[in-house]
Amino acid sequence: MKIGCPTEIKPQEFRVGITPNAAQEAVGHGHTVLIQAGAGVGAGFEDADYTAAGAQIVGSAKEVFAAADMIVKVKEPQAVERKMLREGQVLFTYLHLAPDPDQTQDLLASGATCIAYETVTDRTGGLPLLAPMSEVAGRLAPQVGAWTLQKANGGRGVLLGGVPGVSPARVVVIGGGVVGTHAARVAAGMGADVTVLDRSLPRMRYLDDAFAGVFKTSYASAGNTIELARSADMIIGAVLVPGAAAPKLLSRAQLSELKPGAALVDVAIDQGGCFETSKATTHQDPIYDVEGIMHYCVANMPGAVARTSTIALGNATMPFMLALADKGWKQACADDPHLLAGLNVHAGKLTYAAVGEALGLDVITPGDALQL
Ligand SMILES: NC(=O)c1ccc[n+]([C@@H]2O[C@H](COP(=O)([O-])OP(=O)(O)OC[C@H]3O[C@@H](n4cnc5c(N)ncnc54)[C@H](O)[C@@H]3O)[C@@H](O)[C@H]2O)c1
């Protein structure tokens, strides 16, 4: 199979869909890998790294799309890229179709087979191609929060780990899933006094078993949340209610109860944010002040560490990419219900129920799509 990887063109996107290591594996499986010139530069991979891996460099996105049987990307295809997709071609990337009717219509019109990273599942009910980005955002959260706490950035002027004779900062993490656990581990590793709040008792039992002595857990009742928030130097929002906007866990009125200069890092901003005063920001201008409380609300945090994010995503996507290339999409999806769960569009039909519901469009089942 010819596997193509164009340069990402969404603003501020520096990741790349195929790493040199993944290219080497695909070439080892007998496939041809076509990389657009310069596609890996934002993530620190030179064209020479890809040629050394056995891939071929091509000059333009147009040539990649024209030649490839399967396109592997990071972000959803932009309008100009959607025009280059064709019937029978496979697209494997993040899509996030539910809030995006224009993209959905274009993908349906293209006739291509579109498999979305974010809906591929695993045996534990998790989302294996979303988890690496949650791991990255979680580990980054205390790092950006520590920077936000610095005086010059409007913060309290508190060092996360304290020093001998000075207490460490207090960090409260709301939501103890993938983001929250990684955030808590790194904050604790930086020496902070960390408490994780969650509403799931099984999850808190797990956290307590795995991390007793590293950080504390507390049930996320409204009362516990505000009590812990009052004494916090940094609050990290990491909740997720699948398929719903993030619940608002701190109101504007409650900001006056927090310590002046406290840092709020709202990782859940991509689902609307879990603090009432959160609004999405960018890496260029990441923080803002509401009533003396510093908010960091960047919606694509992994982009800040494009190289780590690219490698982490590549590790997770590679086995699926190889299965799609080795067997063809139909056999690969027939053999693996978790990959089949990623199928969102095939031959002009929508195959993902939640997207159909969100956009008021007809759907067929992924199983039916295998028969087309
Ligand atoms: N900003 C970014 O760049 C970025 C990157 C990755 C993920 N995210 C977002 O981070 C959020 C968390 O993702 P995740 O992968 O950790 O999800 P997850 O499902 O692994 O964890 C979410 C946790 O929130 C808990 N929760 C739900 N409602 C709660 C409540 N009211 N109070 C306390 N806890 C509650 C759940 O029990 C669960 O443990 C999501 O919104 C995700 O989209 C953002």
Side-chain angles (χ1 to χ4, degrees):
M1 183 184 272
K2 283 187 181 151
I3 308 171
C5 176
T7 306
E8 293 296 319
I9 56 171
K10 192 166 180 174
Q12 297 306 313
E13 182 53 66
F14 299 105
R15 290 172 292 177
V16 60
I18 298 182
T19 61
N21 277 346
Q24 188 178 23
E25 298 255 354
V27 170
H29 281 230
H31 305 295
T32 301
V33 178
L34 306 169
I35 306 283
Q36 185 179 345
V41 167
F45 298 120
E46 302 298 330
D47 290 349
D49 298 327
Y50 286 101
T51 45
Q56 296 171 23
I57 303 297
V58 295
S60 66
K62 209 171 157 190
E63 289 166 77
V64 174
F65 278 82
D69 304 305
M70 173 165 67
I71 299 289
V72 178
K73 273 174 54 60
V74 178
K75 294 307 268 188
E76 72 279 6
Q78 305 300 290
V80 58
E81 295 174 313
R82 301 193 303 253
K83 288 201 186 84
M84 295 189 276
L85 287 167
R86 61 170 188 276
E87 198 175 335
Q89 198 167 36
V90 174
L91 172 67
F92 189 40
T93 190
Y94 287 120
L95 291 176
H96 296 288
L97 291 181
D100 196 345
D102 291 348
Q103 188 198 170
T104 306
Q105 289 300 349
D106 285 354
L107 295 185
L108 289 168
S110 74
T113 299
C114 307
I115 301 173
Y117 290 166
E118 71 275 7
T119 65
V120 172
T121 53
D122 66 18
R123 257 181 289 164
T124 65
L127 300 169
L129 304 188
L130 270 187
M133 296 304 99
S134 287
E135 291 164 356
V136 170
R139 290 190 179 204
L140 194 55
Q143 188 174 314
V144 296
W147 177 79
T148 305
L149 275 175
Q150 290 176 23
K151 204 67 196 165
N153 299 319
R156 279 178 66 63
V158 168
L159 183 62
L160 223 54
V163 289
V166 182
S167 298
R170 285 201 172 152
V171 175
V172 171
V173 180
I174 312 180
V178 181
V179 168
T181 306
H182 283 267
R185 279 181 58 188
V186 167
M190 290 166 89
D193 173 352
V194 184
T195 304
V196 177
L197 291 150
D198 204 292
R199 288 210 160 212
S200 159
L201 281 174
R203 186 66 189 169
M204 282 193 292
R205 284 194 187 103
Y206 161 75
L207 292 176
D208 188 71
D209 277 346
F211 298 104
V214 178
F215 54 78
K216 291 159 269 185
T217 58
S218 184
Y219 188 74
S221 61
N224 280 347
T225 303
I226 188 61
E227 191 184 322
L228 282 161
R230 279 190 201 111
S231 64
D233 298 293
M234 184 195 301
I235 303 172
I236 297 173
V239 298
L240 177 65
V241 179
K248 301 290 179 235
L249 303 173
L250 280 180
S251 68
R252 177 180 288 271
Q254 286 173 320
L255 292 189
S256 62
E257 299 183 47
L258 307 188
K259 290 186 187 174
L264 297 190
V265 180
D266 198 343
V267 186
I269 189 66
D270 62 338
Q271 301 293 329
C274 59
F275 310 125
E276 190 187 351
T277 42
S278 294
K279 60 174 183 358
T281 58
T282 61
H283 292 294
Q284 278 64 45
D285 194 9
I287 57 177
Y288 63 95
D289 176 345
V290 182
E291 296 176 22
I293 304 300
M294 302 311 299
H295 293 54
Y296 175 101
C297 302
V298 173
N300 63 330
M301 290 175 67
V305 287
R307 186 173 173 87
T308 301
S309 299
T310 290
I311 297 168
L313 182 62
N315 291 343
T317 57
M318 190 170 67
F320 296 106
M321 176 185 83
L322 291 176
L324 289 165
D326 290 350
K327 302 178 182 181
W329 80 269
K330 231 175 223 188
Q331 193 59 50
C333 287
D335 289 351
D336 180 355
H338 300 297
L339 183 55
L340 184 61
L343 187 67
N344 276 227
V345 171
H346 172 61
K349 308 276 187 208
L350 198 57
T351 59
Y352 200 78
V355 174
E357 211 171 290
L359 298 177
L361 296 171
D362 290 338
V363 292
I364 63 168
T365 67
D368 285 347
L370 292 176
Q371 310 307 321
L372 290 181

